[in-house]
């Protein structure tokens, strides 16, 4: 496919996945190997593995391990359960078979950087190790040769970076070792009796060796030790901390996190005297703590204790130790510990303000500081009165300096910090009395907004009730204007609709893009977006035919887009586009009536894309450049040196990018423009359209069409209530699509029964989701939750205001978390709907083409792709629509024959096409497909016969060969396919004799 539908995709990083993310997001295997994940996409074969697999057994084994490497978590867990069941289910496999899987598959696969291999393989290893060395103790019962030492030896051998390896391959091996060691920890087989203690000593030694040898992976090693602390007793924890101290990791960020975690678990344990004293509390040694958190070497020469090397690389994410440290203060604040505010203020000053925000601090450490600032604000409810302490001198100074200049390195981080601050006050208005004095007084400045060039204070002081009322009234105005426009029949020339062009549309545009009208309070970005959407919806109604191009075109000259921020490059592109638009308008005035349609279509495209430019569409500038190319090639017939691309293909790609979006306006515009430029279409342009019909209607098909990849968003999303009367088009393939499809044949409303089947599949999942929701609500509501069958009561009347507010925030949190949970089935359903709608829109364009260009030899190139769509699609409506297009082509061809329109086809090429159609007909013996293939075959035959009546011998030869192959059983075809050929012959024989 072309590039248009790939504009919004971003290149994924080619490097290895972030090990920190992988470690903290490993899926837990089910407790029973045979149980299936709740979101398992397809049941897998869980039969026992054989010792020396060949043929189908080897293919199944390879397929399972390939699925285990999938980036889809549900597929990984499904494969993990199948592999564990295949190895240990029933009586289990032989020891040699299990050893082969451990050594040659699982431990070896940990060193692979492919997709999600490490994640999937470590899940299986954790489950196998738990059954081998855990409570079931299968090593003692059956697999006596697979001792702890031997299995660990497999891991070490398979993840040892031997040979001439690249830097990335060496990194993959060390990550594999880390994941393997974590599998032992998560298997919970390292603690218990004395023998188990030796196991932990071995694993701990490997982790510490890896952490000191490769500092870039030290944080992840520390996190594994933190996980292991939950399984230790006090003596084991004391031994672990001694080992950390001996290795020199005690005074590292990881050491601080491990020390605090151990202290929280065992309050009276014995700590090493250095570096955190007998109390083992790093918070009592702020200067040393600050150096550790900053990963700074100790400058005290008198301290001869061994220290680990610095990591040497920077991570844009906060180290896990920061949240561990901050949690100590948050817990103390909730418990209202005496003097906690003073303690936190000292900590923040030493560890953050004078450490991360000092004048000599690097930009990377200041970035960490902004992340900490945002974290505390987002969790403001946990920190209570401690919030005031985070507005320290250096932080506020750095925040002001970096937010006021767009070209500063940390401008986006500082700007996001202010957005988080504003959002925190919106969620909890009580924070305003704490935050506002700190930014307009204290270390801030009274003219904060002016200096920072933001509206932070203005937004903090805005009366939400007043703004809400004003926003609602303005949105109602936009809705009223749109409803008035929609009640007008644009095609009724007897009505005076000049008020639409003179008043209604300019008013919508001025609200959406201009600053000519003064408002108090000022227009918000949300309101402007709503008016812009209402304007696009108005255009969708007014563009009933191509003559409606004048509405958006004339509107461009009736207002000034003062409210739209545009840099010099965008302004230049806009000015050039308007200049070209004015030239086209002059050509329209001089052109003959039959020559105006392409000019009007191009004018419509230009005006629409300029509005997209005003709306902030990132692709608008590049689209304007492509429109200029189309204008030069298709209208001016001038070759451009800047591009050798075929103009019709560029135009088709542009139109495909329009109809791929759920917009009624873009769909209408596409149909009008395509209809105007049909005669300019080339074979390459038509192929771009038929290529859309090839991918299947699934999530994978959507990814093929749109080149979609998941992205990690780093920006806050703002909710939108803009659903009423939006330009988003929802197409129901089972129902009527309104006037947009009035030219299409009506579709049957037969029910395939798929919906009922899908509903039954989802019932169990829905019940489980409802149960989880009930449990969360019961926890939040306490004894106030109603049991089934209880009558309603007024027990909420007994709640105090503070309890009601706390309950409200808890409910908001519950439903917000529920909303964030991804629904795989819904994602698949949405992907199918997107692809089906896209294909349906392309079929609409192809139908327009065959009806108007039935005598064009290029139209016959559409027959094979249409037949292939009918054969492979799983959506009945698409198959019927494609069949109807073939019938419409046949009907238009017969009408053209009567009108004696010239038909130019190549007999040789048509003969090849006829044979290809017959070959396609033999691939599906269904009645519907045979009927469609027969219509296409006879259509080609008629075109050949019209040009050269002598070609009937070649036509008959093709049918003869197909019929012989059918009778001989070489192919399966419907008898009706040949009956209709006989009828065609009889019809032409009668017409010839008469």
């Amino acid at each position: 496919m072309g590039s248009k539908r790939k504009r919004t995709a971003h290149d994924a990083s080619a490097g290895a996945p972030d090990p920190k993310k992988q470690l903290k997001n490993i899926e837990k295997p089910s407790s029973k190997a045979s149980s299936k994940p709740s979101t398992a996409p397809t049941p897998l074969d869980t039969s026992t593995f054989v010792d020396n697999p060949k043929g189908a057994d080897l293919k199944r084994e390879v397929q399972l391990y390939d699925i285990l490497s999938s980036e889809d978590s549900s597929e990984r867990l499904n494969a993990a359960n199948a592999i564990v069941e295949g190895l240990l289910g029933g009586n289990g496999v032989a020891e040699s078979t299990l050893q082969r899987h451990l050594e040659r598959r699982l431990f070896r696969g940990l060193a692979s950087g492919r997709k999600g291999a490490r994640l999937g393989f470590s899940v299986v290893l954790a489950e196998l190790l738990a059954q081998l060395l855990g409570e079931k103790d299968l090593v003692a019962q059956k697999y006596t040769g697979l001792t702890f030492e031997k299995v660990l030896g497999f891991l070490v051998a398979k993840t040892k970076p031997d040979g001439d390896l690249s830097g990335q391959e060496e990194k993959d091996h060390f990550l594999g070792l880390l994941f393997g060691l974590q599998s032992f920890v998560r298997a919970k087989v390292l603690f218990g009796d004395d023998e188990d203690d030796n196991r932990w000593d071995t694993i701990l030694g490997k982790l510490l060796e890896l952490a000191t040898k490769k500092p870039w992976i030290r944080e992840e090693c520390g996190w594994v030790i933190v996980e292991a602390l939950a399984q230790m007793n006090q003596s084991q924890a004391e031994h672990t901390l001694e080992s950390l101290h001996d290795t020199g990791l005690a005074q590292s960020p990881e050491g601080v996190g491990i020390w605090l975690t151990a202290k929280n678990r065992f309050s009276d344990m014995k700590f090493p005297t250095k570096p955190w004293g007998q109390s083992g509390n790093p918070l009592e040694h702020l200067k040393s703590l600050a150096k550790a958190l900053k990963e700074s070497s100790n400058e005290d020469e008198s301290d001869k204790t061994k220290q680990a090397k610095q990591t040497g690389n920077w991570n844009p994410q906060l180290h896990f130790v920061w949240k561990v440290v901050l949690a100590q203060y948050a817990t103390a604040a909730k418990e209202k510990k005496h003097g906690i505010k003073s303690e936190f203020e000292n900590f923040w000053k030493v560890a953050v303000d004078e450490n991360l925000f000092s004048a000599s601090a690097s930009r990377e450490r200041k970035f960490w500081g902004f992340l900490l600032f945002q974290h505390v604000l987002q969790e403001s409810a946990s920190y209570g009165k401690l919030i005031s302490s985070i507005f320290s001198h250096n932080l506020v100074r750095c925040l002001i300096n970096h937010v006021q200049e767009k070209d500063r390195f940390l401008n986006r981080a500082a700007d996001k910090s202010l957005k988080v601050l504003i959002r925190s006050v919106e969620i909890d208005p009580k924070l305003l009395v704490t935050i506002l004095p700190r930014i307009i007084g204290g270390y801030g400045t009274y003219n904060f907004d002016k200096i920072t060039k933001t509206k932070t204070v203005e937004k903090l002081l805005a009366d939400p009730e007043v703004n809400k009322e004003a926003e609602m009234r303005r949105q109602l105005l936009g809705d009223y204007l749109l409803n008035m426009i929609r009640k007008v029949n644009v095609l009724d020339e007897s009505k005076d609709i000049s008020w639409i062009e003179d008043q209604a549309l300019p008013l919508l545009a001025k609200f959406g893009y201009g600053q000519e009208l003064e408002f108090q309070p000022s227009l918000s970005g949300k309101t402007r977006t709503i008016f812009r959407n209402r304007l696009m919806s108005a255009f969708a109604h007014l563009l009933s035919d191509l003559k409606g191009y004048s509405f958006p075109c004339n509107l461009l000259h009736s207002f000034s887009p003062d409210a739209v921020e545009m840099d010099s490059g965008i302004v230049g592109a806009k000015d050039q586009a308007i200049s070209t638009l004015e030239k086209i308008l002059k050509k329209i005035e001089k052109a003959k009536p039959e020559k105006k349609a392409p000019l009007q279509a191009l004018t419509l495209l230009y005006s629409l894309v300029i509005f997209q430019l005003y709306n902030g569409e990132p692709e608008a500038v590049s689209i304007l450049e492509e429109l200029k190319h189309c204008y030069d090639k298709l209208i001016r017939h001038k070759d451009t040196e800047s591009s050798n691309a075929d103009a019709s293909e560029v135009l088709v790609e542009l139109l495909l990018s329009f109809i791929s979006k759920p917009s009624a306006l873009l769909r209408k515009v596409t149909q009008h423009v395509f209809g105007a430029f049909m005669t300019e279409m080339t074979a390459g342009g038509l192929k771009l359209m038929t290529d859309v019909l090839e991918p299947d209607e699934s999530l994978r098909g959507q990814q093929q069409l749109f080149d979609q990849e998941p992205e990690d968003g780093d920006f806050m999303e703002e909710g939108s209530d803009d659903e009423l009367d939006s330009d988003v088009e929802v197409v129901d393939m089972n129902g009527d699509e309104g006037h947009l499809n009035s030219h299409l044949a009506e579709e049957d409303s037969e029910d395939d029964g798929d919906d009922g089947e899908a509903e039954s599949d989802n019932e169990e999942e829905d019940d489980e989701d409802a149960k989880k929701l009930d449990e969360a609500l019961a926890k939040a509501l306490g004894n106030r939750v109603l049991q089934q069958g209880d009558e309603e009561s007024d027990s909420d009347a007994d709640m105090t205001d503070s309890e009601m507010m706390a309950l409200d925030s808890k409910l908001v949190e519950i439903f917000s978390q529920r909303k964030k949970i991804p629904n795989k089935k819904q994602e698949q359903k949405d992907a199918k709907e997107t692809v089906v709608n896209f294909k349906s829109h392309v079929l609409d364009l192809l139908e327009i083409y065959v009806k108007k260009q039935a005598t064009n030899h290029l139209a016959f190139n559409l027959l094979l792709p249409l037949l292939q769509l009918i054969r492979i699609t799983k959506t009945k409506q698409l198959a019927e629509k494609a069949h109807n297009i073939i019938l419409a082509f046949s009907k238009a061809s017969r009408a053209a024959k009567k009108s004696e329109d010239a038909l130019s086809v190549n007999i040789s090429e048509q003969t090849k096409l006829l044979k290809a159609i017959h070959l396609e007909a033999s691939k599906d013996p269904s009645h519907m497909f045979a009927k469609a293939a027969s219509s296409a075959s006879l259509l080609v035959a008629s075109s050949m016969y019209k040009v050269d009546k002598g070609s009937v011998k070649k036509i008959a030869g093709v049918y003869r060969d197909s019929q012989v192959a059918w009778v001989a059983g070489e192919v399966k075809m419907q008898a009706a396919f040949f009956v209709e050929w006989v009828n065609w012959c009889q019809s032409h024989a009668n017409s010839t004799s008469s």
Side-chain angles (χ1 to χ4, degrees), residues 239 352 722 835 901 928 939:
H239 172 70
V352 180
D722 185 26
V835 177
D901 288 344
M928 176 185 176
L939 179 58

Side-chain angles (χ1 to χ4, degrees), residues 687-788:
K687 188 176 187 306
L688 288 175
M689 300 173 67
T690 56
D691 285 346
V692 175
L693 307 178
E694 294 179 1
D696 53 0
E697 296 94 38
S698 65
L699 184 60
R700 181 174 298 177
Q702 177 180 265
Q703 293 170 346
Q704 292 176 359
L705 285 173
F706 300 93
D707 195 22
Q708 291 180 339
E709 291 182 343
E711 299 176 5
D712 292 332
D714 191 35
F715 300 95
M716 294 174 55
E717 296 181 359
E718 296 181 3
S720 175
D721 298 327
D722 185 26
E723 296 181 359
L724 174 65
D725 293 324
S726 69
D727 181 44
V728 176
E729 178 190 28
V730 180
V731 178
D732 183 3
M733 290 300 296
N734 292 318
D736 185 14
E737 296 179 8
H739 64 280
L740 288 175
N741 277 343
S742 58
H743 62 286
L744 300 179
E746 294 184 9
E747 299 176 349
D748 295 337
S749 58
E750 298 178 11
D751 187 1
D752 295 332
D754 293 340
D755 293 341
E757 195 173 307
E759 288 177 4
S760 62
D761 292 341
N762 290 334
E763 284 180 359
E764 183 176 349
E765 182 179 352
D766 293 341
D767 291 342
E768 186 174 348
D769 289 344
K771 183 178 180 181
K772 292 181 179 178
L773 177 61
D774 289 342
E775 292 175 353
L777 290 175
K779 186 177 180 180
L781 297 173
N783 57 7
R784 294 183 176 84
V785 66
L786 288 173
Q787 300 297 326
Q788 185 175 1

Side-chain angles (χ1 to χ4, degrees), residues 390-455:
I390 68 174
F391 294 88
S392 50
H393 177 266
N394 291 336
L395 186 151
V396 175
R397 174 184 53 79
C398 188
L399 179 66
I400 294 174
N401 290 341
H402 283 274
V403 81
Q404 62 185 347
E405 297 294 339
K406 296 292 184 182
D407 57 349
R408 296 294 291 268
F409 181 80
L410 296 175
N411 174 262
R412 291 179 64 186
D415 183 63
K416 184 176 180 181
S417 297
L418 291 181
K419 290 180 179 178
V420 171
L421 184 148
I422 294 170
R423 181 59 180 161
S424 300
V425 174
E426 289 176 352
I427 295 175
D428 185 6
K430 293 180 180 180
L431 285 176
L432 179 63
V433 297
T434 301
I435 292 176
L436 186 59
R438 268 78 187 174
I439 62 174
I440 63 174
Y443 299 120
T445 175
Y446 69 94
N447 55 348
F448 186 88
D449 282 2
K450 184 177 181 180
I451 292 179
T452 59
K453 301 175 184 178
T454 65
K455 296 183 179 180

Side-chain angles (χ1 to χ4, degrees), residues 662-680:
S663 168
L665 171 62
L666 293 179
R667 186 182 177 196
K668 274 191 173 183
V669 170
T670 300
Q671 292 182 356
H672 293 328
V673 174
F674 182 79
F677 286 98
M678 279 189 301
T679 56
E680 303 291 339

Side-chain angles (χ1 to χ4, degrees), residues 268-472:
D268 57 345
M269 70 178 290
K270 182 181 179 181
F271 293 93
T273 56
K274 290 185 177 181
W276 307 117
Q278 293 183 352
S279 65
N281 188 0
L283 304 185
E284 297 177 356
H285 307 269
L286 291 181
K287 289 187 178 181
S288 298
L289 175 63
K291 291 177 182 178
L293 295 178
K294 194 173 68 169
E295 298 187 65
S296 174
S297 60
N298 198 325
E299 299 173 0
D300 186 0
E301 296 181 358
S302 64
D303 189 355
K304 303 298 183 181
T305 57
K306 184 179 179 181
Q307 294 188 40
K309 297 179 181 179
Q310 297 184 47
T311 58
N313 66 327
W314 177 74
N315 193 332
Q317 296 179 341
L318 280 177
H319 195 290
F320 74 83
V321 68
W322 283 104
K323 294 184 179 179
V324 175
V325 171
L326 290 174
Q328 307 298 310
Y329 292 102
T331 302
K334 286 184 179 180
E335 296 174 353
K336 298 182 179 181
K337 178 183 175 183
H338 178 69
I340 185 59
K341 184 176 181 181
S342 175
E343 291 179 15
F344 180 75
E345 187 173 345
N346 290 335
F347 160 77
W348 190 268
K349 179 181 178 182
V350 175
V352 180
D353 198 58
E354 296 176 352
N355 195 27
L356 302 182
F357 286 105
S358 65
S360 59
S362 65
R363 296 177 300 187
E364 291 77 11
R365 289 197 169 104
K366 290 177 181 177
F367 183 81
W368 281 346
F370 282 131
L371 292 182
L372 285 171
F373 181 71
Q374 296 166 20
H375 170 75
V376 175
L377 286 173
Q378 289 169 338
E379 303 292 333
S380 57
S382 301
Y383 294 93
K385 295 181 179 180
L386 305 184
I387 293 292
S388 60
S389 301
I390 68 174
F391 294 88
S392 50
H393 177 266
N394 291 336
L395 186 151
V396 175
R397 174 184 53 79
C398 188
L399 179 66
I400 294 174
N401 290 341
H402 283 274
V403 81
Q404 62 185 347
E405 297 294 339
K406 296 292 184 182
D407 57 349
R408 296 294 291 268
F409 181 80
L410 296 175
N411 174 262
R412 291 179 64 186
D415 183 63
K416 184 176 180 181
S417 297
L418 291 181
K419 290 180 179 178
V420 171
L421 184 148
I422 294 170
R423 181 59 180 161
S424 300
V425 174
E426 289 176 352
I427 295 175
D428 185 6
K430 293 180 180 180
L431 285 176
L432 179 63
V433 297
T434 301
I435 292 176
L436 186 59
R438 268 78 187 174
I439 62 174
I440 63 174
Y443 299 120
T445 175
Y446 69 94
N447 55 348
F448 186 88
D449 282 2
K450 184 177 181 180
I451 292 179
T452 59
K453 301 175 184 178
T454 65
K455 296 183 179 180
T456 304
V457 177
E458 180 182 336
K459 292 178 180 178
L460 290 175
L461 294 175
D463 186 343
E465 294 301 325
V466 173
N467 281 354
K468 186 176 180 180
E469 179 68 19
E471 297 286 303
M472 183 184 69

Side-chain angles (χ1 to χ4, degrees), residues 490 538-552 604 608 665 668-669 672 739-740:
V490 184
F539 285 159
H541 174 74
L542 296 173
L543 288 171
S544 297
D545 56 23
L546 192 53
K547 295 179 181 179
Y549 82 96
S550 61
F551 288 104
L604 176 60
L608 177 65
L665 171 62
K668 274 191 173 183
V669 170
H672 293 328
H739 64 280
L740 288 175

